């Protein structure tokens, strides 16, 4: 049984500023994916650094997985819609991420980990989001937590939207994770044909949605499947209202910008070139993790 939650009231919806198709690429040991949020959008979508969408029924496109690699300076949030992926890291942690589960990892000063499929066929689908850390937290100890699907708060609104709250709040409910400095909101929303979804968003947050099934519209602007819609910021807009003219599924992501310099070199994201050189040196010398 699911409880019905009243709609969140907003005065004015944000509009769509830009639609983005993303870049087909491969990463790890040949995993095919779409990089939806690419480096040129890191400032516009601060505090988010990257969003990868992966989804394939073809084992060759995911079987190589992501063998051992380092990270420093940010958090990775992996949301597995379907499939099984085993995670191991240099601190001796190990976990299995599967169907609807989330892994939240704070790389902090450094972690070495692998993310490998634990299936030889069938569908593998999900997202990996990179969330930046404030300068003062970039060298904090590494941390992670796995959430099974049942641990992700889920609700159904009175307008017929089903919402899984990975981070932040929606309709008065706390999500699985909260972060004080970046205040991330990460929702997976399922709409049936003719229904709608309303979410309050702080005016200062950068926000976007990514449609992965069907299509939606925001103030009459269509957002087709496999497109990211960057939502325009305006003082008067206190949230977003999203309509579905067909069954649709999307993730809605928002966060408070850090407004700090961003320097990325592969799996390291720091504030200066000097800190990047230090990260590379620490990795080479075995001091990163
Ligand atoms: Fe990784």
């Amino acid at each position: 049984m699911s409880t019905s939650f009243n709609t969140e009231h907003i005065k004015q919806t944000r509009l769509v500023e830009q639609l983005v198709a993303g870049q087909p690429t491969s990463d790890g040991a040949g995993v095919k994916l779409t990089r939806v949020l690419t480096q040129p959008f890191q400032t516009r979508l601060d505090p988010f650094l990257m969003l990868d969408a992966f989804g394939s029924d073809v084992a060759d496109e995911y079987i190589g997985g992501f063998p051992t690699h380092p990270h420093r300076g940010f958090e990775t949030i992996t949301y597995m819609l379907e499939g099984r992926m085993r995670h191991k890291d240099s601190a001796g942690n190990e976990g299995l991420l599967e169907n609807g589960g989330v892994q939240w990892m704070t790389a902090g000063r450094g972690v070495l980990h692998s993310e490998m499929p634990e299936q030889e066929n069938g569908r593998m689908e999900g997202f990996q989001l990179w969330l930046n850390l404030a300068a003062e937290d970039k060298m904090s100890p590494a941390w992670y937590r796995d959430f099974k699907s049942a641990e992700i708060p889920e609700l159904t609104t009175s307008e017929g939207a089903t919402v899984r709250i990975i981070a932040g709040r929606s309709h008065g409910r706390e999500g699985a994770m909260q972060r004080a400095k970046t205040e991330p909101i990460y929702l997976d929303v399922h709409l049936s044909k003719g229904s709608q979804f309303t979410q309050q968003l702080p005016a200062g947050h950068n926000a976007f949605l990514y449609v992965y099934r069907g299509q939606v519209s925001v103030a009459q602007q269509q957002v087709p499947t496999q497109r990211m819609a960057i939502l325009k910021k305006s003082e008067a807009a206190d949230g977003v209202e999203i309509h579905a003219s067909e069954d649709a599924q999307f993730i809605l992501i928002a966060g408070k910008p850090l407004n700090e310099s961003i320097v990325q070199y592969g799996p390291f994201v720091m504030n200066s070139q000097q800190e990047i050189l230090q990260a590379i040196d620490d990795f080479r010398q075995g001091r990163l993790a």
Side-chain angles (χ1 to χ4, degrees):
M1 194 202 85
S2 69
T3 319
S4 191
F5 285 77
N6 289 327
T7 303
E8 289 202 354
H9 288 288
I10 63 167
K11 292 194 204 86
Q12 193 180 311
T13 185
R14 288 195 191 202
L15 304 176
V16 173
E17 176 178 300
Q18 188 181 353
L19 293 177
V20 177
Q23 304 273 347
T25 184
S26 71
D27 206 344
V31 178
K32 287 243 167 61
L33 53 84
T34 301
R35 189 141 295 159
V36 177
L37 195 174
T38 53
Q39 261 182 290
F41 290 101
Q42 286 177 337
T43 300
R44 174 62 188 85
L45 294 176
D46 178 10
F48 301 103
L49 300 165
M50 194 187 85
L51 175 68
D52 282 347
F54 50 93
S56 178
D57 303 305
V58 181
D60 280 353
E61 297 187 350
Y62 60 72
I63 205 77
F66 301 87
T68 304
H69 59 277
H71 291 292
R72 173 178 280 181
F74 57 99
E75 306 190 82
T76 70
I77 302 143
T78 310
Y79 180 31
M80 186 68 81
L81 293 170
E82 193 175 340
R84 294 155 62 85
M85 185 99 88
R86 184 163 294 277
H87 164 262
K88 289 183 189 174
D89 73 24
S90 47
N93 300 307
E94 185 173 340
L96 182 65
L97 184 59
E98 58 187 333
N99 305 334
V102 171
Q103 186 205 56
W104 194 294
M105 184 184 82
T106 306
R109 71 168 306 283
V111 71
L112 286 165
H113 76 159
S114 62
E115 300 153 289
M116 300 299 289
E118 197 160 279
Q119 63 187 50
E120 281 158 13
N121 48 52
R123 186 159 183 79
M124 168 84 70
E125 182 177 15
F127 302 100
Q128 187 170 84
L129 177 70
W130 288 11
L131 169 61
N132 210 354
L133 285 167
E136 62 190 358
D137 298 326
K138 282 184 178 287
M139 295 298 275
S140 63
W143 178 91
Y144 95 106
R145 188 172 159 191
D146 287 325
F147 296 90
K148 297 235 171 282
S149 185
E151 297 176 281
I152 306 296
E154 185 173 316
L155 60 86
T156 301
T157 72
S158 56
E159 292 178 311
T162 301
V163 191
R164 310 191 76 220
I165 314 167
I166 295 165
R169 299 177 70 80
S170 183
H171 296 75
R173 280 279 293 277
E174 286 263 314
M177 282 291 296
Q178 308 297 328
R179 279 287 181 253
K181 286 174 192 156
T182 47
E183 299 176 18
I185 297 167
Y186 187 167
L187 310 176
D188 179 15
V189 182
H190 295 199
L191 289 178
S192 53
K193 181 181 175 171
S195 66
Q196 58 179 312
F197 174 70
T198 309
Q199 172 71 29
Q200 295 169 353
L201 296 171
H205 272 40
N206 287 323
F208 61 96
L209 58 100
Y210 178 79
V211 179
Y212 64 92
R213 290 284 189 286
Q215 59 175 333
V216 300
S217 64
V218 178
Q220 267 82 55
Q221 164 78 57
Q222 294 289 322
V223 185
T225 195
Q226 295 179 340
R227 289 292 181 281
M228 168 171 73
I230 297 176
L231 299 174
K232 196 171 187 166
K233 281 162 98 167
S234 96
E235 273 307 314
D238 55 348
V240 63
E241 192 176 295
I242 298 160
H243 294 257
S245 55
E246 59 184 87
D247 291 356
Q249 299 176 18
F250 61 91
I251 50 175
L252 173 63
I253 293 170
K256 184 180 176 184
L258 290 165
N259 296 312
E260 294 173 344
S261 60
I262 300 165
V263 183
Q264 177 175 5
Y265 178 76
F268 309 129
V269 185
M270 303 300 289
N271 301 109
S272 70
Q273 193 60 35
Q274 181 56 39
E275 290 168 339
I276 290 294
L277 294 173
Q278 185 66 55
I280 294 167
D281 195 50
D282 286 350
F283 175 53
R284 287 193 181 141
Q285 304 293 328
R287 292 185 307 247
L288 181 117

